[in-house]
Amino acid sequence: MIMKMIKRLIDVKRWKRSSKTAAITIMAAVVLIGILSAIKLSKEEMMDYASDQVKQMIEDEKDSARKYLTITYNNLGVVNYLSFTTSGANALKESYVGFAGQIYQANSGIGKFAGQMVNYTYRMLGSGENLLHGVKLTLLLTTLSMVIGFILSIFLALGKISDNRLISKVSSAYIFFFRGTPLLIQLFVVYFSFPGIFGFSSRSIFPAGDPEAVYKGAFLAALIAFSLNSAAYCAEIVRAAIQSIDKGQHEAAKALGMSYGQTMSNIIIPQSIRRMIPPLCNEFVMMIKDVSLVFAISLMDITTISKTIMTSEGNYLVFLPALVIYLIITAILTFIFGKLEKRLSVYE
Amino acid sequence: MNEFKYILKTENLYKSFGSLEVLKDINLEVKMGEVICIIGPSGAGKSTYLRSLNQLERITSGKIYIKDELFLHREHNKTIHKVEADKQKAMLLEMGMVFQRFNLFPHKTVLENVMIAPILVRKKTKDEALKAAKTIVERVGLSDKLNVYPSKLSGGQQQRVAIARALAMEPEIMLFDEPTSSLDPELVGEVLGVMKDLARNGMTMLCVTHEMGFAKEVADRVVFMADGMILEEGKPKVLFENPKNEKAISFLKSVL
């Protein structure tokens, strides 16, 4: 299987024209990024450009425990950003952007804008932080919730169309509840109400000494709330896809002596998966944006970070990189689902 | 030769959909190796009868015997007698069914379509099932289409795969529910050819069909149904050339 894939991959001559174009574009981009990253100035090289005043401060504070000067260095691969700031009455602010082997001052004008964007993007990506920050948090939470939700939804969907009235009613009620109430309140219920009612706190699940316990507790609550919610939405998608399969398929399977379980797992669900892909992609994209609700329980996702920057720096352009990041994630996701749909359509 | 008299028998079979009575008092006996063609105008209940035999429809009342053993007895929508689940499954496997609209599994290739039920239901190993499937597909003349998806086949080829799929379960009775009705005229012949071949090899067959030529040539007995009742039955020669029932006379006049 893998050998076959590698063989097909190596056989460039038989590639489709569009694949060749895509491959060339990607390769060109990779090479460009490689070159730009390679000729980019290092942190030390950039430090050399600092003003004499800053250099003097660095020298003065070298051995002191109390540092007035804050040095921020953000490396985004292709570009990097360096700034020196102090607080207080005679606040000093000096920023530089390094790009393509050159260094540009970023204290005013377009340079300042570029510097800010690099800095904000760096923070929103959660660079230099653990998994529970920025884009990493958004992707982790969305993907896990969708996977767990989708698995749950298969049972919910089968439950809803089950002949057993009790199972059908319970499944319907679940779906009705989670689609009929705001996701934010569901998140609050899981995060605040459940621990409150049962007398524990979400952070107490993790070891007492863990400095990230608060975040981990909030993450767990968000994961539970989003999974349960996406299960309800996916269940309707799964149900619709299953019921769209021709009745003749059930009859043929039954006439061949297959049990209900065998029919579902071998005949009906494999066929309905392809029909689920477009609405599931839709649901996935919605979920990425819904995950921004975690700002209400203080998790540091893209949205929370941009709001924090907005509040502390008062820069209304901070949302620009946030929007671009969301768009890029959505574009990649749509592309992947499109490929998946094509791949599953081989028999049509 | 056989320890049973009739391989399939129905007594006083009734079926209604709500207030609509589709089958009224159907009595039919089928002997081993017999080929019976059921003809009649549309809406006569021919397909419903076939479908209630292998439990795709639930009968309202009546008795169904398989190999002289009471398989199901229902009165007024209540089950009076039925065989236990395991045995019921085994008895139902004696019947293979071919549908008007083929109902092949579109996500499986020809071979997979034929192999899946023997593997899942008859618990055959993959090798056994593959070997048997190849033989059967060859029998319906599609050895060159083994790994093709149904969507790439003509209607006639699809129906032949459907027949192969039913045969792979080694049934003793084959039920054909208008197998050629959704085919283009030029494709009918190839499917009838396969069915004739089956009949020649002694398969017990129950065919709902509009192909009078086929019925004349192959059937041991022809049953004429209308309005949910069997109005006339007999040897094809007698029924086609000298029908007695009025409805049968007018029906045969219109189709022949």
Short mmCIF file of all heavy atoms in Angstrom, two decimals, chain B residues 10-47:
data_model
loop_
_atom_site.label_atom_id
_atom_site.label_comp_id
_atom_site.label_asym_id
_atom_site.label_seq_id
_atom_site.Cartn_x
_atom_site.Cartn_y
_atom_site.Cartn_z
N THR B 10 -47.77 -21.56 0.30
CA THR B 10 -48.47 -20.54 1.09
C THR B 10 -49.93 -20.90 1.14
O THR B 10 -50.50 -21.40 0.18
CB THR B 10 -48.33 -19.13 0.47
OG1 THR B 10 -48.84 -19.16 -0.87
CG2 THR B 10 -46.89 -18.68 0.43
N GLU B 11 -50.53 -20.62 2.31
CA GLU B 11 -51.95 -20.92 2.50
C GLU B 11 -52.67 -19.67 2.99
O GLU B 11 -52.24 -19.04 3.96
CB GLU B 11 -52.11 -22.01 3.58
CG GLU B 11 -52.11 -23.41 3.01
CD GLU B 11 -52.22 -24.45 4.11
OE1 GLU B 11 -52.54 -24.10 5.26
OE2 GLU B 11 -51.96 -25.63 3.81
N ASN B 12 -53.73 -19.32 2.33
CA ASN B 12 -54.60 -18.20 2.74
C ASN B 12 -53.82 -16.94 3.08
O ASN B 12 -54.04 -16.32 4.11
CB ASN B 12 -55.45 -18.60 3.97
CG ASN B 12 -56.05 -19.96 3.81
OD1 ASN B 12 -55.64 -20.92 4.45
ND2 ASN B 12 -57.01 -20.07 2.90
N LEU B 13 -52.91 -16.58 2.20
CA LEU B 13 -52.06 -15.42 2.47
C LEU B 13 -52.81 -14.12 2.20
O LEU B 13 -53.36 -13.93 1.11
CB LEU B 13 -50.82 -15.49 1.57
CG LEU B 13 -49.60 -14.77 2.08
CD1 LEU B 13 -48.89 -15.62 3.12
CD2 LEU B 13 -48.65 -14.49 0.94
N TYR B 14 -52.84 -13.25 3.21
CA TYR B 14 -53.46 -11.93 3.07
C TYR B 14 -52.44 -10.88 3.41
O TYR B 14 -51.60 -11.07 4.27
CB TYR B 14 -54.65 -11.77 4.03
CG TYR B 14 -55.89 -12.51 3.60
CD1 TYR B 14 -56.03 -13.87 3.90
CD2 TYR B 14 -56.91 -11.86 2.92
CE1 TYR B 14 -57.17 -14.56 3.52
CE2 TYR B 14 -58.05 -12.55 2.53
CZ TYR B 14 -58.17 -13.89 2.84
OH TYR B 14 -59.29 -14.56 2.47
N LYS B 15 -52.54 -9.76 2.71
CA LYS B 15 -51.67 -8.64 3.07
C LYS B 15 -52.41 -7.35 2.79
O LYS B 15 -52.94 -7.16 1.69
CB LYS B 15 -50.38 -8.70 2.24
CG LYS B 15 -49.57 -7.42 2.24
CD LYS B 15 -48.77 -7.28 3.53
CE LYS B 15 -48.19 -5.89 3.65
NZ LYS B 15 -47.60 -5.64 4.97
N SER B 16 -52.49 -6.48 3.79
CA SER B 16 -53.07 -5.17 3.51
C SER B 16 -52.12 -4.07 3.95
O SER B 16 -51.38 -4.22 4.93
CB SER B 16 -54.42 -4.98 4.20
OG SER B 16 -54.76 -6.08 4.96
N PHE B 17 -52.13 -2.99 3.19
CA PHE B 17 -51.46 -1.75 3.62
C PHE B 17 -52.57 -0.83 4.10
O PHE B 17 -53.29 -0.25 3.31
CB PHE B 17 -50.73 -1.10 2.44
CG PHE B 17 -49.56 -1.90 1.95
CD1 PHE B 17 -49.59 -2.54 0.73
CD2 PHE B 17 -48.40 -1.99 2.72
CE1 PHE B 17 -48.51 -3.26 0.28
CE2 PHE B 17 -47.32 -2.73 2.27
CZ PHE B 17 -47.36 -3.36 1.05
N GLY B 18 -52.72 -0.74 5.41
CA GLY B 18 -53.83 0.04 5.94
C GLY B 18 -55.13 -0.61 5.52
O GLY B 18 -55.35 -1.79 5.77
N SER B 19 -55.99 0.15 4.88
CA SER B 19 -57.28 -0.41 4.48
C SER B 19 -57.22 -1.03 3.09
O SER B 19 -58.19 -1.60 2.61
CB SER B 19 -58.35 0.68 4.52
OG SER B 19 -57.98 1.70 3.62
N LEU B 20 -56.05 -0.88 2.44
CA LEU B 20 -55.92 -1.40 1.08
C LEU B 20 -55.49 -2.86 1.11
O LEU B 20 -54.40 -3.19 1.59
CB LEU B 20 -54.91 -0.56 0.31
CG LEU B 20 -54.66 -0.98 -1.13
CD1 LEU B 20 -55.84 -0.59 -2.00
CD2 LEU B 20 -53.38 -0.37 -1.66
N GLU B 21 -56.34 -3.74 0.62
CA GLU B 21 -56.00 -5.16 0.58
C GLU B 21 -55.22 -5.45 -0.69
O GLU B 21 -55.73 -5.29 -1.80
CB GLU B 21 -57.27 -6.00 0.62
CG GLU B 21 -57.65 -6.39 2.04
CD GLU B 21 -58.55 -7.61 2.07
OE1 GLU B 21 -59.45 -7.68 1.23
OE2 GLU B 21 -58.32 -8.47 2.94
N VAL B 22 -53.98 -5.86 -0.55
CA VAL B 22 -53.14 -6.08 -1.72
C VAL B 22 -53.12 -7.55 -2.12
O VAL B 22 -53.07 -7.89 -3.28
CB VAL B 22 -51.70 -5.60 -1.44
CG1 VAL B 22 -50.92 -5.54 -2.72
CG2 VAL B 22 -51.72 -4.24 -0.78
N LEU B 23 -53.14 -8.40 -1.12
CA LEU B 23 -53.17 -9.83 -1.39
C LEU B 23 -54.39 -10.44 -0.70
O LEU B 23 -54.64 -10.18 0.48
CB LEU B 23 -51.90 -10.52 -0.87
CG LEU B 23 -50.57 -10.11 -1.50
CD1 LEU B 23 -49.42 -10.83 -0.81
CD2 LEU B 23 -50.57 -10.41 -2.99
N LYS B 24 -55.14 -11.23 -1.47
CA LYS B 24 -56.33 -11.83 -0.88
C LYS B 24 -56.29 -13.34 -1.11
O LYS B 24 -56.38 -13.79 -2.25
CB LYS B 24 -57.60 -11.27 -1.53
CG LYS B 24 -57.77 -9.77 -1.35
CD LYS B 24 -58.86 -9.25 -2.26
CE LYS B 24 -58.66 -7.77 -2.55
NZ LYS B 24 -59.35 -7.35 -3.76
N ASP B 25 -56.09 -14.04 -0.02
CA ASP B 25 -56.20 -15.49 -0.06
C ASP B 25 -55.35 -16.14 -1.15
O ASP B 25 -55.87 -16.77 -2.07
CB ASP B 25 -57.68 -15.88 -0.25
CG ASP B 25 -57.91 -17.34 0.11
OD1 ASP B 25 -57.01 -17.92 0.77
OD2 ASP B 25 -58.96 -17.88 -0.27
N ILE B 26 -54.04 -15.96 -1.02
CA ILE B 26 -53.15 -16.55 -2.02
C ILE B 26 -52.73 -17.95 -1.56
O ILE B 26 -52.16 -18.12 -0.48
CB ILE B 26 -51.88 -15.70 -2.21
CG1 ILE B 26 -52.25 -14.26 -2.59
CG2 ILE B 26 -50.97 -16.33 -3.26
CD1 ILE B 26 -52.68 -14.07 -4.01
N ASN B 27 -53.04 -18.94 -2.37
CA ASN B 27 -52.60 -20.31 -2.10
C ASN B 27 -51.73 -20.76 -3.25
O ASN B 27 -52.16 -20.71 -4.40
CB ASN B 27 -53.80 -21.25 -1.99
CG ASN B 27 -54.67 -20.89 -0.79
OD1 ASN B 27 -54.34 -21.20 0.34
ND2 ASN B 27 -55.76 -20.18 -1.05
N LEU B 28 -50.52 -21.18 -2.93
CA LEU B 28 -49.64 -21.62 -4.00
C LEU B 28 -48.68 -22.68 -3.46
O LEU B 28 -48.18 -22.55 -2.35
CB LEU B 28 -48.84 -20.43 -4.56
CG LEU B 28 -48.07 -20.68 -5.86
CD1 LEU B 28 -49.02 -20.73 -7.04
CD2 LEU B 28 -47.04 -19.58 -6.09
N GLU B 29 -48.47 -23.71 -4.26
CA GLU B 29 -47.51 -24.73 -3.86
C GLU B 29 -46.41 -24.79 -4.92
O GLU B 29 -46.71 -24.77 -6.11
CB GLU B 29 -48.17 -26.11 -3.76
CG GLU B 29 -49.11 -26.26 -2.59
CD GLU B 29 -50.55 -26.50 -3.06
OE1 GLU B 29 -50.74 -26.78 -4.26
OE2 GLU B 29 -51.45 -26.37 -2.22
N VAL B 30 -45.20 -24.86 -4.46
CA VAL B 30 -44.07 -24.92 -5.39
C VAL B 30 -43.29 -26.19 -5.12
O VAL B 30 -42.89 -26.45 -3.98
CB VAL B 30 -43.14 -23.71 -5.22
CG1 VAL B 30 -42.05 -23.73 -6.28
CG2 VAL B 30 -43.93 -22.41 -5.28
N LYS B 31 -43.08 -26.97 -6.18
CA LYS B 31 -42.30 -28.20 -6.02
C LYS B 31 -40.84 -27.90 -6.30
O LYS B 31 -40.52 -26.95 -7.00
CB LYS B 31 -42.81 -29.27 -7.00
CG LYS B 31 -44.12 -29.88 -6.60
CD LYS B 31 -44.32 -31.17 -7.42
CE LYS B 31 -45.75 -31.65 -7.32
NZ LYS B 31 -46.45 -31.59 -8.62
N MET B 32 -39.99 -28.76 -5.78
CA MET B 32 -38.55 -28.62 -6.01
C MET B 32 -38.28 -28.62 -7.52
O MET B 32 -38.79 -29.46 -8.25
CB MET B 32 -37.85 -29.82 -5.36
CG MET B 32 -36.36 -29.77 -5.44
SD MET B 32 -35.71 -28.83 -4.07
CE MET B 32 -33.96 -29.07 -4.35
N GLY B 33 -37.51 -27.68 -7.99
CA GLY B 33 -37.10 -27.64 -9.39
C GLY B 33 -38.13 -27.03 -10.32
O GLY B 33 -37.90 -26.92 -11.53
N GLU B 34 -39.25 -26.60 -9.77
CA GLU B 34 -40.30 -26.04 -10.61
C GLU B 34 -39.99 -24.59 -10.97
O GLU B 34 -39.44 -23.85 -10.15
CB GLU B 34 -41.63 -26.08 -9.85
CG GLU B 34 -42.78 -26.55 -10.70
CD GLU B 34 -44.09 -26.56 -9.93
OE1 GLU B 34 -44.09 -26.39 -8.71
OE2 GLU B 34 -45.11 -26.74 -10.59
N VAL B 35 -40.34 -24.19 -12.18
CA VAL B 35 -40.21 -22.79 -12.57
C VAL B 35 -41.61 -22.23 -12.74
O VAL B 35 -42.37 -22.70 -13.58
CB VAL B 35 -39.41 -22.64 -13.88
CG1 VAL B 35 -39.36 -21.17 -14.29
CG2 VAL B 35 -38.01 -23.21 -13.72
N ILE B 36 -41.93 -21.24 -11.89
CA ILE B 36 -43.27 -20.66 -11.94
C ILE B 36 -43.16 -19.20 -12.33
O ILE B 36 -42.37 -18.45 -11.76
CB ILE B 36 -43.97 -20.80 -10.57
CG1 ILE B 36 -44.18 -22.27 -10.26
CG2 ILE B 36 -45.30 -20.05 -10.56
CD1 ILE B 36 -44.84 -22.54 -8.95
N CYS B 37 -43.92 -18.79 -13.32
CA CYS B 37 -43.94 -17.39 -13.70
C CYS B 37 -45.26 -16.79 -13.25
O CYS B 37 -46.32 -17.37 -13.48
CB CYS B 37 -43.80 -17.23 -15.21
SG CYS B 37 -42.10 -17.49 -15.74
N ILE B 38 -45.17 -15.64 -12.58
CA ILE B 38 -46.37 -14.96 -12.13
C ILE B 38 -46.58 -13.76 -13.05
O ILE B 38 -45.70 -12.91 -13.18
CB ILE B 38 -46.23 -14.48 -10.67
CG1 ILE B 38 -45.88 -15.69 -9.78
CG2 ILE B 38 -47.51 -13.81 -10.20
CD1 ILE B 38 -45.59 -15.32 -8.35
N ILE B 39 -47.73 -13.74 -13.72
CA ILE B 39 -48.01 -12.64 -14.62
C ILE B 39 -49.28 -11.95 -14.18
O ILE B 39 -50.00 -12.45 -13.30
CB ILE B 39 -48.16 -13.12 -16.09
CG1 ILE B 39 -49.31 -14.14 -16.19
CG2 ILE B 39 -46.86 -13.74 -16.60
CD1 ILE B 39 -49.70 -14.47 -17.62
N GLY B 40 -49.52 -10.78 -14.75
CA GLY B 40 -50.73 -10.07 -14.40
C GLY B 40 -50.53 -8.58 -14.53
O GLY B 40 -49.39 -8.11 -14.63
N PRO B 41 -51.62 -7.82 -14.53
CA PRO B 41 -51.50 -6.36 -14.68
C PRO B 41 -50.80 -5.75 -13.47
O PRO B 41 -50.75 -6.37 -12.41
CB PRO B 41 -52.97 -5.90 -14.76
CG PRO B 41 -53.76 -6.99 -14.11
CD PRO B 41 -53.01 -8.25 -14.37
N SER B 42 -50.29 -4.52 -13.64
CA SER B 42 -49.60 -3.89 -12.51
C SER B 42 -50.62 -3.57 -11.43
O SER B 42 -51.79 -3.32 -11.71
CB SER B 42 -48.87 -2.65 -12.96
OG SER B 42 -49.75 -1.79 -13.62
N GLY B 43 -50.14 -3.63 -10.18
CA GLY B 43 -51.04 -3.42 -9.06
C GLY B 43 -51.77 -4.68 -8.66
O GLY B 43 -52.66 -4.65 -7.81
N ALA B 44 -51.38 -5.81 -9.25
CA ALA B 44 -52.06 -7.06 -8.94
C ALA B 44 -51.57 -7.67 -7.64
O ALA B 44 -52.20 -8.56 -7.09
CB ALA B 44 -51.88 -8.05 -10.09
N GLY B 45 -50.44 -7.19 -7.13
CA GLY B 45 -49.88 -7.75 -5.90
C GLY B 45 -48.81 -8.80 -6.14
O GLY B 45 -48.37 -9.47 -5.21
N LYS B 46 -48.34 -8.91 -7.39
CA LYS B 46 -47.33 -9.93 -7.71
C LYS B 46 -46.04 -9.70 -6.93
O LYS B 46 -45.52 -10.62 -6.28
CB LYS B 46 -47.00 -9.90 -9.23
CG LYS B 46 -48.20 -9.93 -10.13
CD LYS B 46 -47.81 -9.88 -11.59
CE LYS B 46 -47.10 -8.62 -12.01
NZ LYS B 46 -47.89 -7.44 -12.26
N SER B 47 -45.53 -8.46 -6.99
CA SER B 47 -44.29 -8.16 -6.27
C SER B 47 -44.47 -8.29 -4.77
O SER B 47 -43.60 -8.82 -4.07
CB SER B 47 -43.81 -6.75 -6.61
OG SER B 47 -43.41 -6.69 -7.95
#
